[in-house]
Amino acid sequence: MDNQTESTTPQTPAVSAPEGGSSSNGSDTKEKMLGYIAQFETWLEGVMVTKAPFQIPMGGKEVLVTIAPYLVIVGVVLFVISLPVLLGFGAMTAGMGMMMGHGFGYMALISLVSGVIAMGFEAWAIPGLFKRTAHAWRLVFYATLVSFAGSILSFNLIGAVIGGVIGWYLLFQVKALY
């Protein structure tokens, strides 16, 4: 007989996280990004509402909130109608622009991708815009962020600043109604 006592609990080796990071790395990145967006939203609200030199009267805000879903529908329809033209023009000139060193292909691609993503957010927001939900407002805000980033990445800095300021001003003026 053997005098060694066997343990009744099986011993399992410790499992370590993979070298590239933990499996929650993707959710950590998402949480960080959402935190940055929340900070930016708070800052924008302070600038566009609290510190703004001019407030839109309540009647004007009501009109904007009432017509906003219809404006978004028109924008989405016009974008969808123009998409084949944009794809054809981009495909036709992208190679030439890249070969000639102008980078038009890069800018067209960035504009197209950011436009599709922004229109996706806005189309997703349409039902909520009719119901005036905060989620719909947030989707439109995300669309403005994507559009702003697309303009910056395609080196349209003046358009990004002008579009961002006007869009965010109107968006944050009506935020309380959602």
Short mmCIF file of all heavy atoms in Angstrom, two decimals, residues 3 23 25 46 54 80 84 106 113-114 139 149 162 169 174:
data_model
loop_
_atom_site.label_atom_id
_atom_site.label_comp_id
_atom_site.label_asym_id
_atom_site.label_seq_id
_atom_site.Cartn_x
_atom_site.Cartn_y
_atom_site.Cartn_z
N ASN A 3 1.62 5.02 1.03
CA ASN A 3 1.27 5.90 2.13
C ASN A 3 0.96 7.33 1.70
O ASN A 3 0.70 8.17 2.54
CB ASN A 3 2.41 5.93 3.16
CG ASN A 3 2.48 4.62 3.91
OD1 ASN A 3 1.53 3.84 3.90
ND2 ASN A 3 3.60 4.41 4.57
N SER A 23 -9.42 39.68 -22.77
CA SER A 23 -10.55 39.61 -23.69
C SER A 23 -11.49 40.80 -23.51
O SER A 23 -12.30 41.09 -24.36
CB SER A 23 -11.32 38.31 -23.46
OG SER A 23 -11.84 38.29 -22.15
N ASN A 25 -10.50 43.80 -23.49
CA ASN A 25 -9.81 44.96 -24.05
C ASN A 25 -10.72 45.72 -25.00
O ASN A 25 -10.73 46.94 -25.02
CB ASN A 25 -8.53 44.52 -24.76
CG ASN A 25 -7.64 45.69 -25.11
OD1 ASN A 25 -7.78 46.77 -24.55
ND2 ASN A 25 -6.73 45.47 -26.03
N GLY A 46 -22.09 72.99 -22.72
CA GLY A 46 -21.75 74.23 -22.02
C GLY A 46 -21.49 75.37 -22.99
O GLY A 46 -21.93 76.50 -22.76
N PHE A 54 -26.60 83.74 -28.19
CA PHE A 54 -27.97 83.82 -28.65
C PHE A 54 -28.65 82.48 -28.43
O PHE A 54 -28.13 81.44 -28.82
CB PHE A 54 -28.00 84.18 -30.15
CG PHE A 54 -29.36 84.16 -30.75
CD1 PHE A 54 -30.26 85.20 -30.53
CD2 PHE A 54 -29.78 83.10 -31.53
CE1 PHE A 54 -31.52 85.19 -31.09
CE2 PHE A 54 -31.04 83.06 -32.10
CZ PHE A 54 -31.91 84.12 -31.88
N VAL A 80 -28.92 58.59 -50.79
CA VAL A 80 -29.07 57.28 -51.44
C VAL A 80 -29.15 57.44 -52.96
O VAL A 80 -28.56 56.66 -53.71
CB VAL A 80 -30.31 56.53 -50.88
CG1 VAL A 80 -30.65 55.32 -51.71
CG2 VAL A 80 -30.05 56.14 -49.43
N PRO A 84 -24.91 56.08 -56.19
CA PRO A 84 -24.31 55.48 -57.39
C PRO A 84 -23.40 56.45 -58.15
O PRO A 84 -22.36 56.05 -58.67
CB PRO A 84 -25.53 55.10 -58.24
CG PRO A 84 -26.65 54.99 -57.29
CD PRO A 84 -26.36 55.97 -56.20
N TYR A 106 -8.00 59.04 -51.75
CA TYR A 106 -8.07 58.95 -50.29
C TYR A 106 -9.19 59.83 -49.76
O TYR A 106 -10.01 59.39 -48.95
CB TYR A 106 -6.72 59.35 -49.69
CG TYR A 106 -6.76 59.67 -48.22
CD1 TYR A 106 -6.81 58.65 -47.28
CD2 TYR A 106 -6.79 60.98 -47.76
CE1 TYR A 106 -6.86 58.92 -45.93
CE2 TYR A 106 -6.84 61.26 -46.42
CZ TYR A 106 -6.88 60.24 -45.51
OH TYR A 106 -6.93 60.52 -44.17
N VAL A 113 -17.08 56.98 -47.04
CA VAL A 113 -17.28 56.11 -45.88
C VAL A 113 -17.93 56.88 -44.72
O VAL A 113 -18.89 56.41 -44.10
CB VAL A 113 -15.95 55.45 -45.44
CG1 VAL A 113 -16.09 54.77 -44.09
CG2 VAL A 113 -15.48 54.47 -46.50
N SER A 114 -17.42 58.07 -44.44
CA SER A 114 -18.00 58.85 -43.35
C SER A 114 -19.44 59.27 -43.68
O SER A 114 -20.30 59.30 -42.79
CB SER A 114 -17.14 60.07 -43.01
OG SER A 114 -17.12 60.98 -44.08
N LEU A 139 -28.16 59.58 -31.60
CA LEU A 139 -27.76 59.05 -32.91
C LEU A 139 -27.43 60.17 -33.89
O LEU A 139 -26.46 60.08 -34.64
CB LEU A 139 -28.85 58.15 -33.47
CG LEU A 139 -29.03 56.79 -32.78
CD1 LEU A 139 -30.27 56.09 -33.32
CD2 LEU A 139 -27.80 55.92 -32.97
N ALA A 149 -15.42 64.16 -38.20
CA ALA A 149 -14.17 63.40 -38.33
C ALA A 149 -13.84 63.14 -39.79
O ALA A 149 -12.67 63.23 -40.20
CB ALA A 149 -14.28 62.08 -37.57
N ILE A 162 -17.01 74.97 -39.75
CA ILE A 162 -18.28 75.66 -39.99
C ILE A 162 -19.46 74.72 -39.81
O ILE A 162 -20.44 75.03 -39.12
CB ILE A 162 -18.29 76.31 -41.40
CG1 ILE A 162 -17.28 77.45 -41.45
CG2 ILE A 162 -19.69 76.81 -41.76
CD1 ILE A 162 -17.04 78.01 -42.84
N TYR A 169 -24.59 73.67 -32.70
CA TYR A 169 -25.38 74.73 -32.08
C TYR A 169 -26.87 74.38 -32.16
O TYR A 169 -27.58 74.40 -31.16
CB TYR A 169 -25.11 76.08 -32.74
CG TYR A 169 -25.98 77.19 -32.21
CD1 TYR A 169 -25.72 77.76 -30.96
CD2 TYR A 169 -27.09 77.63 -32.91
CE1 TYR A 169 -26.53 78.76 -30.45
CE2 TYR A 169 -27.91 78.63 -32.41
CZ TYR A 169 -27.62 79.19 -31.18
OH TYR A 169 -28.44 80.17 -30.67
N VAL A 174 -31.80 72.27 -29.21
CA VAL A 174 -33.06 71.52 -29.12
C VAL A 174 -32.95 70.26 -28.26
O VAL A 174 -33.93 69.53 -28.13
CB VAL A 174 -33.58 71.13 -30.53
CG1 VAL A 174 -33.85 72.37 -31.35
CG2 VAL A 174 -32.64 70.20 -31.24
#
